[in-house]
Amino acid sequence: MNISLPKHALRLLGLCLLFCAGLVAGCGPIDRPGQVPRGYFGKTDTLPEVITEINANNQRVPTLWARHYFEATIPNKKKDPEFVNGDGVLMYQSPQSLRLIGNKALAGRVFEIGSNAERFWLTILPELDTMWWGEYSQIDTFDPADVPIRPDQLLAVLGVGPIDTELLHEPAPVLRFNNDADAYMLVWNVRRTDRWVAQREVWYDRATKLPRSVLLFDADGRVTLRAFLSNHQPVETGQAGPKPRIATEYRLFFPLTGAKMSFELSDMKISRGGLPNQRSFAFPADPGVSHVIELHAKNDH
């Protein structure tokens, strides 16, 4: 026998089923009496111990040379996404020198991110045919939306620099432990004239002390960069003993500009053929683009 229900009754029945399903799904993660709590609830380390172990790994990577493959989606002036991809070389030298060069067959160089002690720059061609650059002396005055991908933020994501062990120096780190994620969460804070603000948050795996995710914030607490790091692999140092490890897969999102970027590293070494060296991070005198945008302080626009 077929039973026919009015449409409004069918809609009500559907809502009831969804509500009940929501209750079941919502109750799933709750620990019931007698159950073993989910997550990790064992011994954890103190902040100095965590930093010591992170630094023991990172201090063995004063320089880095690696091959990479990258993909990026970057909005143009009309906010339409432009896709860029290619492969090339990434070079790093402590504390803040970085160069990621992306090439494509036939087209040649299509992408470059660079940083040295004084300046940072981003070049995208031929799709955007533009270079953005700025000086570190004014880095805190730029509007984060003025450049699609900030090279200084990429340095923070790479995460191979040592952490300051003077824990009261700004930016000052605060440690939290996430039982559910089994991860240490370090949040760096800086003092403003009227308040403290969070500047950066990095999640480190409890067992390995290797970074898994990075969040960067502006002064109002908005996320300016969200990154996920995975597949940590050893770096060839040419020396005996344990090798340092860094992530080889990176997924980045810049919410304020809508830009996305991912890259994978391979063939990682401390150096190759004398590279990197100081000349590796020279500011390009001729970027080969039609538009060069110098970043200024907000009140200089």
Side-chain angles (χ1 to χ4, degrees), residues 159-203:
V160 291
I163 299 174
D164 189 351
T165 56
E166 294 292 337
L167 302 182
L168 295 180
H169 286 178
E170 293 184 40
V174 175
L175 174 65
R176 297 186 294 145
F177 184 74
N178 188 317
N179 299 96
D180 299 308
D182 194 11
Y184 294 102
M185 304 163 62
L186 269 66
V187 182
W188 280 265
N189 304 278
V190 292
R191 185 196 298 267
R192 299 299 185 190
T193 55
D194 59 342
R195 68 196 188 282
W196 285 85
V197 299
Q199 186 181 74
R200 175 168 54 117
E201 178 176 310
V202 184
W203 291 28

Side-chain angles (χ1 to χ4, degrees), residues 20-30:
C20 292
L23 286 177
V24 173
C27 292
I30 295 178

Side-chain angles (χ1 to χ4, degrees), residues 163-290:
I163 299 174
D164 189 351
T165 56
E166 294 292 337
L167 302 182
L168 295 180
H169 286 178
E170 293 184 40
V174 175
L175 174 65
R176 297 186 294 145
F177 184 74
N178 188 317
N179 299 96
D180 299 308
D182 194 11
Y184 294 102
M185 304 163 62
L186 269 66
V187 182
W188 280 265
N189 304 278
V190 292
R191 185 196 298 267
R192 299 299 185 190
T193 55
D194 59 342
R195 68 196 188 282
W196 285 85
V197 299
Q199 186 181 74
R200 175 168 54 117
E201 178 176 310
V202 184
W203 291 28
Y204 293 92
D205 182 81
R206 174 190 56 83
T208 65
K209 307 301 188 299
L210 295 172
R212 292 174 10 191
S213 66
V214 178
L215 292 170
L216 302 183
F217 308 98
D218 68 8
D220 297 316
R222 297 177 300 174
V223 175
T224 60
L225 170 61
R226 182 189 70 202
F228 297 102
L229 292 64
S230 59
N231 193 19
H232 295 75
Q233 298 294 332
V235 177
E236 181 55 57
T237 63
Q239 299 177 355
K243 292 180 171 53
R245 296 171 64 197
I246 67 170
T248 60
E249 298 179 8
Y250 300 79
R251 291 183 291 132
L252 289 66
F253 175 55
F254 300 81
L256 299 186
T257 64
K260 299 178 183 179
M261 180 181 180
S262 64
F263 59 96
E264 299 179 9
L265 302 182
S266 61
D267 194 19
M268 300 176 297
K269 308 175 186 298
I270 292 298
S271 65
R272 180 184 175 95
L275 299 175
N277 55 43
Q278 288 298 324
R279 295 188 300 276
S280 303
F281 311 102
F283 182 75
D286 181 11
V289 296
S290 301

Side-chain angles (χ1 to χ4, degrees), residues 56 60 82 89 96 106 110 169 203 233 296 299:
R60 298 201 297 271
E82 297 281 359
V89 170
Q96 64 181 44
L106 302 179
V110 296
H169 286 178
W203 291 28
Q233 298 294 332
H296 296 280
N299 56 9

